[in-house]
Amino acid sequence: MDAAWTAPSTLCLVSAPANHPRRTTPVDEVAERHLDATLDLDPISATFLGLHGNDARLSDFSPAGLDARAALCRRTLSELDGLDAADPVDTITIAALRERLGAELALHEVGCYEASLNNISSPLQIVREVFDVAPSATAEDWEANLGRLLAVGEALAGARESLRHAVSRGHRIPARQVVVAAEQAAEFGAPDGFFVGFAGGAPASAGVVAGGRLAGALHAAAESAAAAYTGFADWLREELLPQAAPEDAVGRDRYPLYSRAFLGTGVDLDEAYAWGLSEVAEIEAEMARTARRIVPGDVPVSAPTAEAIDAAIAALDADPARTVVGAEAFRDWMQRLSDTAIADLADTHFTIPEPLRTLTCRIAPSTSGAIYYTAPTDDLSRPGQMWWSVPRGMTGFSTWRETSTIFHEGVPVHHLQMAGTIHRRDELNRWRRLSCWVSGHGEGWALYAERLMAELGFLDDPGDRMGLLDSQALRASRVVVDIGVHCRLTAPAEVGGGTWDADKAWRFLTAHTRMHEATRAFELDRYLGWPGQAPAYSLGERTWLDLRETLRRREGPAFDLRSFHTRALAVGSVGLDVLRSALLGTAPQRPEPVPATDGPR
């Protein structure tokens, strides 16, 4: 084992003395070069990170563009082969780079990126969503947005070429995802869709004068972008759908690649599936106990669990004190709760630097129903933002359902985690701070921190507690559904037994989650089209809880919860194997190399 893989004798996440930045090492330089080259190949990611230089461009989703990113990963891994770690921070960086780039190459080699098409995270959505975070304050910003609008057609053409290439290599796209994607593309391209409204919203204060050159150019470019989406929808329906696969499962051979990419570790899929089923039962038992606190005396003790839960939820939904009417009013409620959480948690259970005590809540311009967080820019000029994409026609919002969600997307979860990592510029290189993100780590922390908020008393209200449990039931249910469907496991008797399929997944989610039907449909499509991502939440939480208890036992009376959070978040987002080695001081395992291939993927 070479020096780069020697475990630190003690955990040292911050190697430089206070107020003295850690010196840049050759490993940092490799990581920084990789980030810069990645952003040149992927300008959309640069915009999301708030980094300038390729502002008028969009990413290349064609096979050539995807191959260029894979070649970059191989070059970076080759550069690492000649380097030793200068300090424990380097040890983690090397392990994280090898794990992330290896997972990316493994998916590339089997054609997963070429075949990317779903309802939440594929080129179709990414090209549209970049306009949500693109700067829009100055005429220069709108000149860049003009370039982005003009590039939409080429970006979608590249995605279309990749999908064709995937099909030619025997990779059949699930028909369900083709249909859903076509519906989204048509919505984005509609006359009252996103693009024309985006261009028309360019303000005069930014130098976009009605009837002027830039306003006219933006309008024409927006119509071109909308037409590109309409054309993409037509192509999906007319050419791709007839070649699509009737089944949704990716299969037991490919699923572990997706799972490892989202977790940064391998898991026993059969054990995880069985654990998910037991978690659903345990959570529902707790929901029934909480329900009887909400509607005491209204539900007999002998009543079935589902009956008790449904009665409590109906009472919560009918309570006007727990309902906010109107998207703007709901945004304001989000902001108040977020601000209160920051004030209550700072300097008590978490260390929150002053520059990170600002989090902006916003209503997203899309209508997918998704809730998400976007991190601040490196210089913090753009703050962290929490977005809510309100479905069409939705006017009432139940606060009891969403209190834990606000903690999840804001503080103490994604804002504290992601913005906190960005803020550690004196210790971590830019790739570690800005680019490295692992769902098992990040979403696992999110569920851990939601549970922590309950432990700390922030969810003592029975309604808010029910909201947390309702979310936990969803997260456990999707472990079952995601692994069950994609790995073609045996379904439980309650949905008919036999091999899992979409209909059985729908019945299971209907029985064990309490989402609105439209949201449940969106979620199921997401699990079926984005294999391995949804289970990363609960499976990641298991790792976080296990690490906390392992360190609690090891350190005994010296264990301090706030110190644990500080140490753990200081690592940044890394794969779960790397996180475990960093916190426990063990040697990172070097991933197996991914061989190059010229054959079918």
Side-chain angles (χ1 to χ4, degrees):
M1 184 178 293
D2 62 35
W5 297 94
T6 301
S9 58
T10 59
L11 178 65
C12 179
L13 299 175
V14 183
S15 62
N19 301 319
H20 292 282
R22 171 178 167 270
R23 70 177 181 84
T24 300
T25 69
V27 170
D28 291 324
E29 291 172 355
V30 168
E32 298 259 0
R33 284 197 301 273
H34 180 82
L35 174 62
D36 290 338
T38 297
L39 297 182
D40 186 57
L41 294 172
D42 185 10
I44 288 179
S45 289
T47 299
F48 271 100
L49 295 176
L51 301 176
H52 301 293
N54 295 301
D55 298 1
R57 296 172 51 216
L58 295 180
S59 307
D60 182 357
F61 295 104
S62 71
L66 299 178
D67 285 345
R69 296 189 213 182
L72 171 61
C73 290
R74 293 192 182 281
R75 288 198 302 273
T76 299
L77 289 172
S78 178
E79 288 185 66
L80 286 178
D81 284 340
L83 296 177
D84 292 341
D87 59 18
V89 176
D90 266 3
T91 301
I92 296 172
T93 298
I94 291 172
L97 271 169
R98 289 196 181 282
E99 188 279 319
R100 285 293 83 197
L101 303 192
E104 184 174 339
L105 283 170
L107 289 174
H108 175 79
E109 291 301 327
V110 296
C112 294
Y113 294 123
E114 286 184 345
S116 178
L117 187 71
N118 55 46
N119 72 334
I120 190 169
S121 183
S122 64
L124 165 68
Q125 295 83 23
I126 294 168
V127 170
R128 212 283 313 147
E129 288 172 358
V130 70
F131 293 93
D132 290 350
V133 297
S136 58
T138 67
E140 183 180 18
D141 291 338
W142 283 99
E143 291 285 358
N145 284 327
L146 173 61
R148 292 186 181 96
L149 289 168
L150 292 171
V152 166
E154 183 178 0
L156 293 181
R160 185 164 59 242
E161 184 184 351
S162 283
L163 289 166
R164 280 194 178 119
H165 197 243
V167 170
S168 74
R169 289 173 175 263
H171 196 146
R172 298 181 70 196
I173 316 300
R176 181 185 311 275
Q177 302 306 320
V178 179
V179 171
V180 170
E183 291 172 353
Q184 282 192 358
E187 178 184 340
F188 294 155
D192 61 346
F194 170 78
F195 290 101
V196 174
F198 172 76
S205 60
V208 184
V209 179
R213 179 203 63 83
L214 183 53
L218 284 167
H219 179 75
E223 289 189 330
S224 173
Y229 266 95
T230 300
F232 192 63
D234 292 341
W235 177 81
L236 289 171
R237 293 182 178 120
E238 295 168 7
E239 180 176 325
L240 191 60
L241 186 57
Q243 305 176 74
E247 66 172 23
D248 300 286
V250 297
R252 189 66 181 252
D253 55 341
R254 290 193 179 189
Y255 189 83
L257 297 178
Y258 287 101
S259 179
R260 177 173 284 279
F262 285 117
L263 289 169
T265 190
V267 297
D268 181 331
L269 295 172
D270 296 297
E271 184 277 333
Y273 173 73
W275 173 83
L277 284 168
S278 67
E279 277 292 287
V280 171
E282 289 183 18
I283 292 166
E284 288 188 336
E286 178 63 22
M287 291 178 78
R289 290 190 288 271
T290 303
R292 292 184 170 89
R293 294 174 57 200
I294 296 169
V295 286
D298 291 1
V299 181
V301 175
S302 60
T305 295
E307 182 179 324
I309 296 170
D310 290 344
I313 287 178
L316 292 170
D317 283 339
D319 184 354
R322 298 179 184 275
T323 301
V324 174
V325 178
E328 290 74 19
F330 187 69
R331 176 202 59 208
D332 294 342
W333 174 81
M334 292 166 59
Q335 190 69 62
R336 288 193 300 273
L337 182 58
S338 176
D339 293 344
T340 299
I342 292 173
D344 289 347
L345 293 172
D347 304 322
T348 54
H349 304 291
F350 294 92
T351 300
I352 306 180
E354 189 63 37
L356 305 186
R357 298 188 185 189
T358 298
L359 172 63
T360 302
C361 296
R362 302 186 65 179
I363 299 299
S366 59
T367 59
S368 69
I371 306 161
Y372 56 97
Y373 171 81
T374 53
T377 53
D378 192 17
D379 61 2
L380 304 182
S381 60
R382 184 188 74 200
Q385 299 176 98
M386 188 191 316
W387 300 81
W388 203 293
S389 178
V390 181
R392 291 184 186 275
M394 188 173 183
T395 57
F397 305 85
S398 299
T399 58
W400 70 269
R401 293 178 185 271
E402 311 304 351
T403 296
S404 63
T405 304
I406 303 308
F407 297 147
H408 178 122
E409 298 299 337
V411 172
V413 186
H414 288 328
H415 179 64
L416 186 57
Q417 173 191 46
M418 297 168 70
T421 300
I422 289 171
H423 189 60
R424 303 184 76 85
R425 59 173 59 248
D426 287 348
E427 302 150 28
L428 303 179
N429 60 58
R430 289 165 60 246
W431 180 80
R432 290 273 300 275
R433 289 189 298 110
L434 302 178
S435 183
C436 188
W437 169 260
V438 185
S439 291
H441 178 285
E443 302 298 355
W445 164 261
L447 268 59
Y448 163 82
E450 284 187 48
R451 186 187 298 266
L452 176 70
M453 292 297 276
E455 294 173 357
L456 297 177
F458 286 85
L459 295 167
D460 283 350
D461 176 86
D464 293 342
R465 175 70 178 170
M466 183 64 85
L468 171 65
L469 291 169
D470 188 44
S471 295
Q472 290 178 331
L474 169 64
R475 276 77 176 254
S477 294
R478 61 199 193 190
V479 171
V480 174
V481 166
D482 199 289
I483 296 176
V485 171
H486 286 297
C487 294
R488 300 186 178 94
L489 301 184
T490 302
E494 67 174 284
V495 295
T499 303
W500 275 100
D501 59 23
D503 289 339
K504 293 173 185 178
W506 177 259
R507 294 201 295 273
F508 189 86
L509 290 175
T510 300
H512 297 288
T513 67
R514 276 83 188 169
M515 297 174 285
H516 296 295
E517 184 173 340
T519 303
R520 186 164 65 249
F522 178 89
E523 286 290 304
L524 177 56
D525 287 338
R526 167 190 168 188
Y527 312 151
L528 298 178
W530 207 16
Q533 195 273 342
Y537 292 62
S538 291
L539 299 179
E541 181 192 22
R542 280 209 301 179
T543 296
W544 277 102
L545 290 168
D546 178 68
L547 283 169
R548 184 178 73 176
E549 293 313 304
T550 298
L551 288 169
R552 191 193 299 275
R553 290 192 300 269
R554 176 189 290 186
E555 298 173 9
F559 179 82
D560 175 74
L561 188 61
R562 179 177 172 183
S563 174
F564 166 71
H565 295 150
T566 300
R567 285 183 289 164
L569 291 177
V571 180
S573 187
V574 294
L576 294 178
D577 280 344
V578 178
L579 176 68
R580 188 178 290 109
S581 68
L583 291 181
L584 301 183
T586 57
Q589 297 298 308
R590 181 165 179 159
E592 291 296 320
V594 179
T597 176
D598 294 323
R601 293 199 292 266

